[in-house]
Amino acid sequence: MEYSNVTIMDHPLIHHKLTVLRDEKTSSRDFRALVSEIAMLMCYEATRDLPLEETEVKTPVAVAKTKKLAGKKFAIVPILRAGLGMVDGMLNLVPSARVGHIGLYRDPETLMPVEYYCKLPTDIPNREVIVVDPMLATGGSAIDAISQIKKRGPKNIKFMCIIAAPEGLKALCEAHPDVKIYVGALDEKLNDHGYIVPGLGDAGDRIFGTL
Ligand code: PRP
Ligand code: URA
């Protein structure tokens, strides 16, 4: 499966951290730290195309002709709950980013997303948005969250997840072909309960210790 708008990470640090993250023996404390670190590494890749402008800065030696980000109009939108675990790592790289929140959970019977909260920066039409969630399983939550955010008219939307199932990736690409997608690892399949195989279990429960 290959899509032009999908980037699958292939970096030794991400491979290594993902291995520890998947391990059922990893504690909630370590799990949270790893989710944050992986999100930071992925954010580096997902911000590669941010626009720059020419500038000058006076060093102690001379004036340097250099570059800076053109505007700071960037927003991170985690899908609650598990997406929250990715925010701090990304803010480490882009401290001026605004943070919106969208609350969805999967109905355990139907696996359909149920929205319960949405609070986005008021100037969202001027911002580039990265929607984050560690898991892309059926794709229902990401598709729905992005549809809700699109209604508020942001300039551009990207989606970042740590682990994706092929089924969810296909569904998201088909529903939102304009959205660039960044994936830490593409796994094998979904099981009958909508869990990613091999995956890492329930990301929200492992982050917040609610197992
Ligand atoms: C998990 C995960 C995604 C969703 C992915 O959240 O964090 O949001 O499932 O599944 P999907 O692609 O099939 O929609 P969950 O619904 O368990 O809620 P939580 O983060 O509050 O635990
Ligand atoms: N949500 C999770 O947290 N894990 C999965 O494997 C699927 C959905």
Side-chain angles (χ1 to χ4, degrees):
M1 174 177 27
E2 217 168 278
Y3 299 104
S4 58
N5 56 337
V6 177
T7 304
I8 299 180
M9 302 296 139
D10 187 17
H11 190 287
L13 287 175
I14 296 183
H15 282 293
H16 180 84
K17 288 176 191 295
L18 261 166
T19 299
V20 187
L21 189 74
R22 289 179 190 274
D23 189 334
E24 63 179 2
K25 294 196 289 303
T26 296
S27 67
S28 273
R29 181 183 169 164
D30 290 344
F31 192 91
R32 272 196 296 277
L34 285 159
V35 166
S36 183
E37 288 164 14
I38 293 170
M40 183 166 70
L41 293 168
M42 291 183 68
C43 183
Y44 181 78
E45 186 58 38
T47 50
R48 186 177 284 285
D49 59 357
L50 283 185
L52 292 170
E53 61 189 21
E54 305 288 333
T55 187
E56 286 186 353
V57 65
K58 193 168 172 303
T59 78
V61 179
V63 172
K65 287 192 183 306
T66 177
K67 290 176 182 163
K68 65 176 184 178
L69 289 175
K72 290 182 178 156
K73 296 292 185 186
F74 186 64
I76 303 163
V77 180
I79 301 179
L80 306 179
R81 289 175 303 168
L84 281 176
M86 299 173 74
V87 175
D88 275 359
M90 298 179 72
L91 285 174
N92 282 341
L93 285 193
V94 197
S96 62
R98 298 288 188 269
V99 181
H101 295 86
I102 185 152
L104 298 172
Y105 69 87
R106 289 199 314 178
D107 182 293
E109 300 296 323
T110 64
L111 300 183
M112 295 305 288
V114 182
E115 186 180 325
Y116 59 88
Y117 187 73
C118 186
K119 176 92 177 165
L120 301 176
T122 48
D123 61 352
I124 198 89
N126 302 327
R127 292 190 177 269
E128 301 210 3
V129 172
I130 301 191
V131 180
V132 297
D133 191 324
M135 309 305 276
L136 180 69
T138 64
S141 304
I143 290 169
D144 196 73
I146 291 169
S147 299
Q148 298 304 326
I149 295 166
K150 273 188 179 171
K151 287 183 194 159
R152 272 91 163 178
K155 281 212 284 206
N156 173 30
I157 302 180
K158 292 173 179 169
F159 177 78
M160 218 170 91
C161 64
I162 294 180
I163 298 183
E167 296 88 333
L169 192 56
K170 180 171 185 288
L172 180 55
C173 287
E174 286 172 3
H176 295 295
D178 52 315
V179 170
K180 282 192 183 166
I181 303 167
Y182 299 85
V183 177
L186 181 59
D187 274 12
E188 208 181 302
K189 60 177 184 182
L190 289 179
N191 69 16
D192 293 344
H193 304 287
Y195 273 81
I196 300 175
V197 180
L200 49 70
D202 187 305
D205 283 344
R206 293 195 66 183
I207 290 172
F208 296 108
T210 47
L211 284 169

